[in-house]
């Protein structure tokens, strides 16, 4: 849910017979025009608990000591590591005691509507005027995101808050919450061993711990935050780079690693003195799903379970057994498709019917449970079709009991840890052979 | 653990919070019916170790929930969600007379929480834990600013909540131990008050020799708050502990400058009024030095220095003239200061003067002198530096751990509600979120 103009909301409310709500709003707006802040009164209080939370922990936000039945806006601001400003706003009315409680009260407009205790976090968007195609991803997981929460006067929209000097939108109160990917005591260890490139996250304590091999997609590089979060929940986790990382020899636009690399990564976990070698799972998103299924079925290692999010069971580009892919990802763009705005989609690339069946991971040889998560609005990967194909193959092999599917209507490709902002479109490092204006790429 | 048995897991939620917030400690993936010890350890800034532990039996799902299950032994027993903190004591073999106080408020108290197999009482250091977690407990919320104050001859630290304000203000006065103690002010700023922790016991050295501060020092501190652009000048409270109460009450009554909106007294007394130099007051108290007693362990009991409560009105603050609400927090086992007797005498004086409607007394049985923020470990006695004589003694503060710890929680809650009612001005009774 992004923007709902207030007039549209009023129409909707009238349509369901809640005329009195809109009348109430008119009355409150009139009251808001009376400047309630008289000399000597302290500012209202905005509180958030806990003030330092893990990113998957809910935060209770409340405001107190405001006049009753008054429109206010709660705003969240965050400056990303790249210096971009992200913002979410929501419109509330104080109750009879002059309080707002985001655990209880519905937002009447803004970045989201309805009762959404964590809406200010998951609805964060780049402020108007930002560069296009931004995605909020933490690189340094050893420091938190500082989210600045403010209470503003009246019902304010993003374009109103850019220092126009009007009384509407004036900041009444502020608080700050730190959101962490790493719990205290979690250790981050850089891994450059046996050719394996990654970052290992260990929970506090002697262990041994269950472990996860954590694989992302063709965005490349090394994405650590999910592993940091898993370690914060008691699992050792190895975030593994396999593509587009400077420490992996070979061209950055090819997958230069193969079976031996993934086997070495799995064994690195198995041999770690603080890991239970028989309790290692593999988790993959997007292309990482294909890799996870490949690892679980063909590499003679035995993961305890696999979690796949929105990914294919096969790769259109052949994946050689030892040396990685023979073609760069960009070389064969025959199945890349573009919409009317010029956004590219890899959906066709990942359709099982477009992939030669000899390029599928042999899921029928899997011996461990698979949890497959589908975003039904995934426009980057044909997740639904892949889920169906995997389920069909496991069923044919008498292994239906291993398959669990979770489907989420309206969810896209990037199913991230909870309360993270959604990016419907984002920039990607890979460039298409043809340039389509605008140069936007959708993942 | 070759991977056949489940891996035990201990979870603390939230793993980072403010020191007055509760946490949840949950152990999972144990075999059912297993005897375990949940243990908490703090390595203090002074390089000492403090610990607490509870004995539990996992339920039929292999879980222990410290908030819901009863401890059947250890440093606390019964259902005590926060027992792992308030029942902490120095580990065996520690130096005597320790007190756990955080000096550096920019960093958290780090608590290591582990679960061990069996019901253990010692040798935790030499035993491998089944699982561990780490919790951070902070005095300062993110966004709170800390500002050192040295203007106008003052020595203190100002803590400001995030945002433009304006905020109510608070003058925070500790007791005769002296020094600059910041953590309570940091905590109060995390609750929305501009709080000034003031060092007033350190004697000033001048050409005439060493002397203590006088009225003007406290007036300058109060004025600093009043004139601060982020403070509501007419909503400033005073909070005093122990001797700090004597100062606060004295200033509230006698100073033409200091007009607090409300006043909180923790373990304080109105005897020996502070209306002039502190040196005079100490000289007066010293006259009763022969009343110093010692307990069976030769720990100093100073409560009789102010007893009996004098009838002579010139020997005590005329609380009948107080014009603001007063909250007295009193430990009935206070061995350091006659807080109970003083509270009773103050009540009588205010009733006679007709302003007792301003007075609230919360009196706690089994509670000693050092009523600190909640979950702070209770200590019955500790080392104390007698400022003038520069000698170290061990002072008996009093209190029994369980009632004292409960009192700390209740007293803090009462303090926050009292301050909010009188400084933020709206009487709402919604309790602060406590997780």
């Amino acid at each position: 849910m992004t923007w709902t103009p207030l007039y549209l909301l009023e129409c909707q409310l009238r349509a369901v017979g809640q005329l009195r709500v809109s009348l109430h709003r008119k009355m409150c707006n009139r009251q808001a025009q009376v400047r309630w802040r008289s000399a000597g009164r302290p500012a209202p209080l905005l509180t958030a608990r806990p003030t330092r939370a893990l990113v998957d922990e809910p935060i209770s936000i409340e405001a107190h000591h405001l006049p009753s039945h008054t429109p206010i806006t709660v705003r969240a601001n965050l400056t990303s590591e790249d210096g971009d400003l992200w913002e979410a706003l929501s419109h509330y009315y104080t109750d009879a005691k002059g309080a707002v409680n985001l655990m209880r009260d519905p937002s009447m407009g803004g970045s989201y509507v309805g009762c959404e205790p964590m809406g200010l976090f998951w609805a964060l968007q780049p402020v108007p005027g930002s560069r296009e195609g931004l995605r909020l991803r933490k690189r340094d997981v050893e420091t938190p995101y500082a989210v600045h929460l403010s209470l503003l006067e009246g019902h304010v929209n993003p374009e109103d808050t850019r220092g126009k000097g009007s009384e509407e939108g004036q900041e009444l109160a502020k608080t700050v919450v730190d959101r962490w990917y790493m719990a205290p005591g979690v250790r981050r260890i850089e891994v450059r061993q046996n050719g394996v490139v990654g970052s290992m996250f260990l929970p506090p304590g002697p262990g041994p711990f269950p472990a996860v091999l954590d694989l992302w997609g063709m965005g490349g590089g090394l994405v650590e935050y999910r592993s940091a979060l898993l370690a914060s929940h008691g699992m050792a986790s190895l975030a593994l780079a396999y593509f587009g990382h400077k420490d992996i020899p070979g061209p950055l636009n090819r997958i230069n690693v193969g079976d031996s690399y993934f086997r070495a990564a799995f064994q690195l976990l198995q041999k770690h003195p603080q890991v239970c070698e028989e309790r290692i799972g593999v988790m993959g998103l997007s292309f990482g799903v294909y890799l996870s299924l490949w690892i679980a079925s063909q590499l003679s290692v035995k993961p305890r379970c696999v979690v796949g999010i929105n990914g294919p069971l096969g790769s259109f580009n052949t994946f050689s057994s030892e040396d990685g892919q023979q073609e760069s990802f960009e070389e064969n763009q025959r199945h890349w498709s573009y919409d009317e705005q010029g956004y590219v989609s890899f959906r066709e690339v990942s359709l099982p019917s477009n992939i030669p069946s000899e390029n599928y991971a042999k899921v029928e040889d899997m011996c461990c449970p698979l949890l497959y998560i589908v975003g039904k609005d995934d426009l980057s990967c044909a997740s639904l079709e892949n889920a169906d194909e995997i389920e069909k193959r496991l069923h044919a092999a008498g292994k239906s009991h291993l398959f669990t599917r979770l489907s989420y209507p309206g969810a896209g490709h990037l199913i991230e840890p909870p309360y993270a902002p959604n990016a419907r479109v984002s920039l990607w490092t890979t460039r298409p052979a043809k340039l389509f204006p605008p140069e936007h790429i959708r993942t | 653990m070759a991977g056949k048995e489940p891996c035990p897991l201990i979870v603390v939620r939230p793993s980072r919070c403010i020191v007055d917030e509760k946490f949840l400690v949950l152990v999972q993936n144990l075999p059912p019916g297993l005897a375990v010890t949940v243990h908490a350890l703090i390595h203090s800034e002074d390089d000492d170790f403090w610990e607490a532990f509870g004995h539990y039996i996992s339920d039929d799902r292999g879980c222990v929930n410290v908030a819901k299950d009863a401890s059947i032994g250890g440093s606390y027993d019964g259902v005590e969600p926060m027992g792992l903190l308030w029942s902490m004591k120095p580990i065996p073999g520690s130096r005597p007379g320790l007190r756990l106080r955080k000096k550096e408020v920019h960093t958290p108290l780090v608590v290591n929480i582990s679960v061990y197999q069996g019901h253990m009482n010692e040798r935790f250091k030499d035993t491998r834990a089944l699982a561990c977690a780490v919790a951070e407990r902070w005095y300062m919320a993110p966004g709170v600013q800390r500002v050192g104050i040295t203007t106008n001859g003052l020595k203190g630290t100002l803590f400001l909540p995030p945002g433009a304000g304006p905020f109510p203000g608070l003058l925070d006065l500790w007791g005769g131990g002296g020094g600059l103690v910041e953590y309570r002010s940091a905590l109060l700023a995390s609750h929305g008050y501009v709080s000034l922790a003031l060092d007033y016991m350190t004697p000033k050295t001048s050409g005439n020799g060493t002397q203590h501060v006088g009225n003007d020092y406290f007036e300058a501190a109060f004025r600093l708050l009043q004139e601060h652009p982020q403070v509501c000048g007419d909503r400033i409270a005073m909070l005093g502990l122990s001797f700090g109460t004597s100062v606060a009450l004295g200033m509230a009554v006698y100073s033409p400058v200091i007009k607090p909106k409300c006043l909180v007294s923790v373990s304080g007394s109105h005897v020996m009024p502070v209306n002039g130099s502190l040196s005079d007051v100490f000289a007066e108290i010293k006259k009763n030095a022969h009343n110093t007693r010692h307990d069976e362990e030769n720990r100093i009991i100073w409560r009789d220095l102010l007893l009996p409560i004098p009838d002579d009105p010139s020997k005590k603050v005329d609380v009948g003239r107080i014009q603001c609400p007063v909250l007295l927090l009193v430990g009935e086992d206070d061995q350091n200061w006659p807080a109970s007797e003083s509270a009773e005498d103050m009540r009588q004086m205010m009733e006679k003067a007709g302003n007792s409607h301003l007075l609230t007394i919360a009196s706690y049985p089994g509670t000693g002198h050092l009523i600190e923020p909640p979950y702070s470990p209770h200590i019955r006695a500790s080392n104390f530096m007698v400022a003038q004589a520069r000698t170290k003694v061990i002072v008996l503060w009093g209190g029994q751990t369980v009632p004292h710890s409960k009192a700390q929680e209740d007293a803090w809650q009462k303090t926050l509600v009292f301050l909010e009612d009188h400084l933020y001005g709206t009487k709402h009774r919604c309790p602060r979120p406590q997780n």
Side-chain angles (χ1 to χ4, degrees):
Chain A
M1 183 80 217
T2 53
W3 282 99
T4 304
L6 200 54
Y7 76 85
L8 185 59
L9 178 62
E10 283 191 1
C11 293
Q12 289 171 343
L13 290 175
R14 281 207 181 94
V16 300
Q18 291 197 24
L19 184 60
R20 61 186 173 87
V21 173
S22 118
L23 287 174
H24 175 71
R25 182 176 302 123
K26 286 195 170 77
M27 189 177 76
C28 290
N29 282 339
R30 263 201 290 278
Q31 282 180 334
Q33 285 156 18
V34 175
R35 291 296 128 221
W36 61 271
R37 218 156 16 118
S38 57
R41 274 195 68 105
L45 258 183
L46 180 64
T47 59
R49 294 277 184 270
T51 47
R52 296 175 177 88
L54 284 179
V55 295
D56 61 357
E57 268 178 330
I59 294 176
S60 306
I61 299 171
E62 294 185 33
H64 291 276
H65 307 296
L66 291 152
S68 55
H69 305 302
T70 303
I72 51 101
T73 299
V74 190
R75 178 179 67 188
N77 274 137
L78 178 159
T79 302
S80 72
E81 285 161 320
D82 300 318
D84 300 296
L85 186 61
W86 291 63
E87 183 176 84
L89 299 167
S90 53
H91 299 158
Y92 293 90
Y93 286 92
T94 59
D95 64 14
K97 292 183 182 161
V100 172
N101 182 344
L102 266 60
M103 307 282 284
R104 170 200 74 188
D105 301 337
S107 164
M108 309 304 282
S111 303
Y112 58 89
V113 291
C115 180
E116 296 287 354
M118 292 295 283
L120 286 171
F121 301 103
W122 55 250
L124 283 168
Q125 291 291 304
V127 295
S130 296
R131 306 178 287 151
E132 300 236 24
L134 293 177
R135 187 173 158 191
L136 191 65
R137 307 189 93 185
K138 194 91 172 49
R139 284 192 295 279
D140 178 3
V141 294
E142 292 178 293
T143 57
Y145 273 133
V147 183
H148 292 248
L149 298 169
S150 333
L151 205 59
L152 307 177
E153 201 156 11
H155 284 169
V156 175
N157 295 314
E159 50 273 15
D160 302 330
T161 63
R162 301 273 84 81
K164 297 247 173 82
S166 64
E167 280 174 331
E168 189 88 334
Q170 194 160 10
E171 185 176 283
L172 304 173
K174 185 169 154 176
T175 190
V176 182
V177 291
D178 285 344
R179 299 186 72 224
W180 290 82
Y181 283 94
M182 265 170 80
V186 168
R187 295 157 282 164
R188 176 185 177 274
I189 298 145
E190 199 172 84
V191 173
R192 302 288 187 271
Q193 194 182 320
N194 303 346
V196 174
V197 175
S199 297
M200 176 105 140
F201 290 86
L202 288 165
F209 311 105
V212 175
L213 181 59
D214 182 20
L215 301 161
W216 288 81
M218 289 296 287
L222 182 52
V223 183
E224 297 187 356
Y225 53 86
R226 192 168 63 192
S227 281
L229 204 51
L230 287 168
S232 304
H233 286 275
M235 287 170 274
S237 188
L238 175 61
L240 186 68
Y242 62 88
F243 167 67
H245 193 286
K246 60 175 177 49
D247 291 345
I248 297 178
L252 286 173
N253 61 353
R254 283 176 196 271
I255 298 180
N256 306 309
V257 296
D259 286 3
S260 57
Y261 181 80
F262 295 102
R263 197 179 295 122
F266 195 93
Q267 285 167 347
L268 193 142
L269 275 174
Q270 275 182 314
K271 295 196 174 105
H272 195 288
Q274 286 183 282
V275 168
C276 293
E277 59 178 335
E278 293 182 26
R279 287 175 181 264
I280 302 176
V282 185
M283 182 165 188
L285 179 138
S286 193
F287 192 76
V289 173
Y290 165 63
L291 294 173
S292 304
L293 296 173
W294 183 278
I295 291 168
S297 58
Q298 277 153 268
L299 277 197
S300 69
V301 294
K302 288 193 168 31
R304 186 93 166 213
C305 62
V306 174
V307 178
I309 304 169
N310 287 333
L313 84 153
S315 169
F316 184 73
N317 298 339
T318 54
F319 189 66
S320 96
S321 62
E322 293 302 323
D323 300 330
Q325 292 188 321
Q326 287 164 355
E327 294 176 339
S328 79
F329 190 73
E330 299 157 314
E331 277 176 34
N332 190 341
Q333 298 183 11
R334 138 165 121 243
H335 286 288
W336 291 24
S337 60
Y338 299 85
D339 71 3
E340 60 284 350
Q341 289 172 280
Y343 296 127
V344 73
S345 164
F346 302 122
R347 202 178 176 289
E348 300 292 313
V349 175
S350 60
L351 264 177
S353 50
N354 283 339
I355 300 174
S357 63
E358 63 267 22
N359 288 3
Y360 287 3
K362 292 187 175 42
V363 292
E364 53 275 14
D365 292 343
M366 276 181 62
C367 296
C368 67
L370 166 65
L371 173 68
Y372 192 97
I373 298 171
V374 176
K376 285 174 128 176
D377 192 39
D378 188 345
L379 295 174
S380 178
C381 173
S383 305
L384 202 56
E385 290 85 345
N386 276 284
D388 289 343
E389 185 63 34
I390 294 169
E391 187 171 13
K392 190 176 92 182
R393 284 173 176 251
L394 284 173
H395 180 73
K399 293 181 177 178
S400 298
H401 60 283
L402 293 178
F403 185 77
T404 306
R405 182 199 306 225
L406 291 176
S407 290
Y408 296 98
H413 185 62
L414 298 171
I415 297 182
E416 300 256 28
Y419 318 129
N422 171 46
R424 191 163 171 79
V425 177
S426 74
L427 276 170
W428 229 47
T429 52
T430 304
R431 290 196 157 273
K434 289 189 200 173
L435 290 177
F436 280 76
E439 292 168 59
H440 302 291
I441 301 169
R442 172 184 279 162
T443 59
Chain B
M1 289 269 171
K4 302 283 185 230
E5 296 116 22
C7 302
L9 180 64
I10 185 164
V11 165
V12 181
R13 288 284 177 268
S15 50
R16 296 178 175 90
C17 60
I18 304 295
V19 294
D20 59 3
E21 290 172 339
K22 289 188 154 90
F23 61 22
L24 173 69
V25 177
L26 193 58
V27 188
Q28 294 169 306
N29 301 340
L30 297 168
L34 184 70
V36 294
T37 303
V38 183
H39 179 266
L41 184 76
I42 287 179
H43 186 183
S44 75
E45 285 164 330
D46 301 321
D47 206 22
D48 300 296
F49 289 90
W50 292 66
E51 69 177 3
F53 51 95
H55 293 160
Y56 295 91
I57 311 243
S58 63
D59 66 15
D60 53 11
R61 289 167 308 141
C63 296
V64 171
N65 183 340
V66 172
K68 298 209 171 113
D69 300 342
S71 163
I72 53 179
S75 60
Y76 62 95
D77 51 42
V79 180
E80 295 291 355
M82 302 299 285
L84 287 167
L85 290 175
W86 55 252
S87 73
M88 280 196 159
K89 302 276 181 246
I91 60 171
S94 297
R95 307 176 286 152
L98 295 177
R99 187 172 164 191
L100 186 65
R101 304 188 93 184
K102 192 91 172 57
K103 291 198 234 351
E104 173 52 67
V105 294
H106 278 127
T107 56
L109 268 174
V110 176
V111 188
N112 290 284
I113 302 183
S114 312
V115 59
Y116 294 87
Q117 188 158 346
H119 288 164
M120 293 171 52
N121 293 299
E122 56 184 3
R123 305 181 64 92
F124 293 97
K125 205 160 52 90
D126 306 323
T127 311
R128 186 183 172 105
L130 297 175
C132 299
V134 179
E136 290 179 357
R137 299 186 64 81
W138 293 76
Y139 283 93
M140 258 170 89
V144 168
Q145 277 181 279
R146 177 183 174 277
V147 179
I149 300 293
T150 50
T151 50
N152 302 339
L154 294 170
K155 186 169 176 228
T157 313
L158 194 66
F159 289 89
L160 292 136
F167 308 100
L170 190 141
L171 184 55
D172 182 19
L173 301 166
W174 285 86
L180 183 48
V181 183
E182 297 187 353
Y183 57 84
R184 193 169 59 192
S185 279
L187 195 51
L188 288 163
S190 305
H191 283 277
Y193 303 97
V194 173
S195 188
L196 176 59
L198 191 67
D199 178 1
Y200 64 90
M201 287 292 290
T202 308
K204 297 195 299 191
T205 313
S206 70
N208 292 339
T210 307
Q211 58 188 25
H212 282 285
V213 301
N215 270 19
D216 53 337
Y217 187 82
F218 300 104
E219 287 168 352
F222 195 86
R223 234 185 273 112
L224 184 139
L225 279 171
Q226 257 182 334
E227 291 164 7
H228 195 287
Q230 285 176 274
V231 172
C232 295
D234 61 345
R235 288 172 188 249
I236 300 174
M238 292 181 84
L239 194 158
L241 180 139
S242 190
F243 192 75
T245 292
S246 312
V247 172
L249 286 171
M251 293 299 120
V253 169
Y254 301 120
S255 166
V257 167
I258 295 180
K259 299 277 170 246
K261 187 86 170 168
C262 63
L263 193 151
V264 180
S265 149
V266 186
S267 305
S269 176
H270 60 321
V271 174
M272 301 306 174
V274 175
N275 184 22
S277 164
L278 296 188
S279 304
D280 300 330
V281 179
F282 294 139
E284 201 53 43
I285 294 176
K286 224 171 161 181
K287 289 179 188 167
N288 278 349
H290 55 277
N291 282 351
T292 303
R293 288 188 285 121
H294 294 81
D295 75 346
E296 62 284 353
E297 291 178 53
N298 206 32
R299 301 179 293 196
I300 289 186
I301 299 170
W302 268 329
R303 69 189 324 275
D304 294 342
L305 291 182
L306 298 189
L307 290 176
I309 305 280
D311 292 321
D312 179 355
S314 71
K315 298 266 189 237
K316 44 191 186 181
V317 176
D318 187 3
V319 291
R321 284 167 51 188
I322 276 198
Q323 294 178 343
C324 70
V326 175
L327 173 65
L328 299 183
L329 300 166
V330 167
E332 290 170 15
D333 190 37
D334 190 335
Q335 298 297 322
N336 183 252
W337 221 227
S340 278
E341 294 89 332
S342 305
E344 179 51 34
D345 192 67
M346 280 194 261
R347 188 184 62 75
Q348 287 174 16
M349 288 174 77
M350 288 174 82
E351 271 173 5
K352 211 184 276 181
N355 66 342
S356 61
H357 62 283
L358 295 173
L359 180 65
T360 308
I361 302 179
S363 182
Y364 299 101
T367 299
H369 187 68
L370 297 174
I371 301 177
E372 297 260 29
Y375 323 124
S376 307
H378 163 251
I379 39 142
R380 192 163 164 76
S382 75
N383 298 326
F384 188 84
M385 179 69 74
V386 180
Q388 297 98 313
R390 305 300 297 165
T391 52
K392 201 164 85 165
V393 296
I394 295 196
V395 169
L396 188 71
W397 306 112
Q400 303 299 325
T401 296
V402 173
H404 187 99
S405 302
K406 304 296 174 180
Q408 284 184 160
E409 280 187 61
D410 188 77
W412 185 247
Q413 187 62 17
K414 285 196 161 66
T415 300
L416 292 179
V417 169
F418 180 79
L419 291 174
E420 190 165 359
D421 280 351
H422 295 295
L423 297 179
Y424 273 95
T426 55
K427 289 199 177 291
H428 76 91
R429 283 282 171 263
C430 302
R432 277 285 156 264
Q434 286 273 308
N435 296 38

